Amino acid sequence: MRIAHSGSSLLCGAQQLLFLTFSSKLQKLRPHSLQTLVFAMAGPDGNHSVSDNAEAAEDAKFGFTRSEMYTKPLSGTVDPYDRHVFLCWGRHENWPSRVEDSDSDLLPMLLSVIFQTRKHDIKVKTRLTICEGLEGTGFADGDVLIFPDMVKYRGLTESTVDNFGEDVLVNGNPWSSGEREPLTGSYVFVCAHANRDRRCGVCGPVLIEKFEKEIEHRGLKDQVFVKACSHIGGHKYAGNLIIFSPDSEGKVAGHWYGYVTPDDVSELLDLHIGKGEIIQRLWRFVCLCFGVLSLITMTNEMYTRRLALGSDF
């Protein structure tokens, strides 16, 4: 008992000494120094600010306040292409870094293989990107969206992917094993591929949330659709997004934007989608709409014309 009592007395004495020392140091602090100490410990609203500081540090490194923002010109930072295929698959939080090459995501991998092995047979230069497939949103895993053709096919599977590639990608025909559905409205694809690049993982979800809020506020839920997508290129330009939207004549184009922040969302909705006006300071590239069959026809006509003139490509 004496040993325990002696240890307890020593502990109490040490605590008192520590308190007195800390109190004497506080008394010597100037008012503004004391305020700084209290702010650092509790934050301006009385709550602990450790998480706030961590968020600020993360934003400065990966988010909208990072030093690389607006340091590079954006125009022309996308390799030209003519058609964009989106495969709905999973949630963006679960996508591996190379979702199109992942053994655990068989359907994206098989579709990607077709793009690689049949690239010389695909007459229209086409990109493949993964987007979220969420039940109850009208877009489920295995659905395929094709832009700027504004076409959707439902229910692509591992057993039908070869047939889809042959019919749609190579020959430019409707898919014989699937029902072709028209897409209406405007579509915003925001890169939120965190496992590929932290910047997109930080910026993307914030932009999506802001878009959804502003869309609801404007009553556009049935006209503008926002989806997270996988890597589209140019991590350093995050936030990155693509808007496929019809103009006043009904022609669809896919405009790429970079360095997008939540403050730009209203402008993109009101000016780009609402009025067809391009936001030049954020603009990267445009994928114009000629239609897949039109492009194939144009290519064939050019080839025939050049053969007739005795020239080659």
Side-chain angles (χ1 to χ4, degrees):
M1 290 292 292
R2 288 183 180 180
I3 295 176
H5 179 74
S6 175
S8 175
S9 299
L10 288 173
L11 179 61
C12 291
Q15 290 174 334
Q16 291 175 356
L17 178 61
L18 179 62
F19 175 77
L20 291 173
T21 302
F22 183 68
S23 298
S24 64
K25 289 183 179 295
L26 284 178
Q27 292 174 359
K28 295 178 182 179
L29 286 173
R30 295 179 181 179
H32 71 272
S33 300
L34 182 59
Q35 183 180 11
T36 301
L37 176 62
V38 174
F39 180 86
M41 294 176 63
D45 57 357
N47 298 321
H48 290 288
S49 63
V50 175
S51 61
D52 296 336
N53 292 338
E55 289 179 5
E58 183 177 65
D59 189 65
K61 189 173 183 180
F62 304 108
F64 303 108
T65 62
R66 62 188 192 277
S67 60
E68 67 183 355
M69 289 286 284
Y70 313 112
T71 58
K72 302 289 184 181
L74 292 170
S75 180
T77 55
V78 179
D79 291 334
Y81 72 106
D82 305 302
R83 175 175 59 181
H84 210 140
V85 173
F86 289 85
L87 172 65
C88 297
W89 188 260
R91 298 188 63 90
H92 72 270
E93 301 96 330
N94 302 326
W95 293 333
S97 176
R98 305 280 178 174
V99 61
E100 298 92 348
D101 300 325
S102 172
D103 293 337
S104 61
D105 297 282
L106 188 57
L107 183 58
M109 184 186 69
L110 291 175
L111 186 56
S112 177
V113 167
I114 291 178
F115 274 81
Q116 296 170 29
T117 59
R118 303 295 302 276
K119 63 181 180 180
H120 297 299
D121 301 321
I122 299 175
K123 300 178 179 67
V124 179
K125 192 169 185 179
T126 308
R127 296 180 67 112
L128 171 64
T129 300
I130 308 304
C131 65
E132 282 192 328
L134 304 176
E135 295 291 346
T137 64
F139 303 96
D141 283 358
D143 288 352
V144 180
L145 316 178
I146 303 177
F147 296 92
D149 298 74
M150 300 294 283
V151 171
K152 175 171 72 172
Y153 289 104
R154 291 187 181 275
L156 185 68
T157 65
E158 291 90 340
S159 62
T160 59
V161 67
D162 286 334
N163 175 252
F164 173 84
E166 188 69 28
D167 287 348
V168 179
L169 300 179
V170 175
N171 296 321
N173 296 323
W175 186 23
S176 60
S177 300
E179 183 178 350
R180 178 186 175 111
E181 300 179 18
L183 291 172
T184 59
S186 299
Y187 292 79
V188 182
F189 294 93
V190 182
C191 183
H193 200 167
N195 288 325
R196 185 67 178 271
D197 189 88
R198 186 73 175 275
R199 289 164 290 191
C200 295
V202 170
C203 297
V206 176
L207 288 174
I208 292 170
E209 182 178 359
K210 180 65 172 178
F211 264 106
E212 291 175 342
K213 179 180 178 181
E214 295 300 325
I215 287 169
E216 184 173 4
H217 176 70
R218 288 164 172 76
L220 299 174
K221 292 189 68 174
D222 296 327
Q223 301 174 49
V224 182
F225 307 92
V226 181
K227 298 181 69 63
C229 73
S230 64
H231 171 66
I232 56 176
H235 307 299
K236 59 188 175 184
Y237 306 125
N240 285 305
L241 57 87
I242 310 171
I243 299 177
F244 286 97
S245 181
D247 62 16
S248 58
E249 298 179 357
K251 295 180 180 179
V252 176
H255 288 269
W256 290 54
Y257 286 105
Y259 292 146
V260 179
T261 73
D263 292 336
D264 301 314
V265 169
S266 293
E267 192 174 9
L268 289 167
L269 285 171
D270 296 338
L271 295 185
H272 181 104
I273 294 177
K275 298 182 179 180
E277 298 179 12
I278 307 304
I279 315 301
Q280 292 291 343
R281 71 180 186 279
L282 306 174
W283 187 83
R284 295 183 61 189
F285 173 80
V286 60
C287 175
L288 294 172
C289 175
F290 291 103
V292 174
L293 293 178
S294 297
L295 278 169
I296 291 176
T297 301
M298 288 168 58
T299 302
N300 289 335
E301 288 178 351
M302 288 173 60
Y303 183 74
T304 303
R305 191 176 301 117
R306 291 203 176 196
L307 285 180
L309 294 173
S311 60
D312 55 26
F313 291 91

